[in-house]
Amino acid sequence: ISCPKDQEIIHHKHILFNIDNCRNESVIVVEGIFDCFRFGNDCCATFGINYTKRQLNLLTKYKNIYILFDNDINAKKQAEKLANELSIIGKNVYIIDLPEKYKDIAEMQQDEANEFKKQILNN
C-alpha cells in the first residue's frame, strides 16, 4: 500500500525504491519493495508493474539493466514494454525469468536469492 498522494513529499512513482544503493553499472529492477529487500544493493523497485517516464529516466544512467518482474502475464508484458523503451535508447536490457515455482522473489529463501542475484549480475 502506497502513501496517499496528499501525504507524500515526493510522489513514490517519481523515484525508484533503493536506487541510492545501486552504485554499479548494472541494476536489477523489480516490482515491489519486498522483492528489493530480498536482493539488497544493486536492486531497485518500481512500486508495481506500472512505471513512469521519470522512473525510466532514472534507469538510463545504468549500462546493464536486468528486469525481474513477477511470474504473471501482466507483469511479463510490462517487463517487455520497459525493456523495449530502454533498449531503444541504447541500454543493454535483459528480462530475467523467475524459476516457475515462485510468484515473486520475496518467496525465495535468502541463500537462494543471493545465488540467483549473483548469477544474474555475472551473466
Side-chain angles (χ1 to χ4, degrees), residues 47-64:
F47 300 100
I49 61 173
N50 296 315
Y51 58 90
T52 64
K53 291 287 183 194
R54 287 187 186 195
Q55 290 174 319
L56 186 135
N57 287 336
L58 291 171
L59 293 171
T60 61
K61 73 178 188 177
Y62 297 95
K63 180 179 176 184
N64 303 303

Side-chain angles (χ1 to χ4, degrees), residues 27-69:
V27 64
I28 300 171
V29 182
V30 297
E31 290 180 41
I33 63 171
F34 291 107
D35 300 331
C36 198
F37 290 157
R38 183 66 70 208
F39 270 2
N41 291 346
D42 301 318
C43 179
C44 64
T46 57
F47 300 100
I49 61 173
N50 296 315
Y51 58 90
T52 64
K53 291 287 183 194
R54 287 187 186 195
Q55 290 174 319
L56 186 135
N57 287 336
L58 291 171
L59 293 171
T60 61
K61 73 178 188 177
Y62 297 95
K63 180 179 176 184
N64 303 303
I65 302 163
Y66 301 92
I67 303 170
L68 180 56
F69 282 3

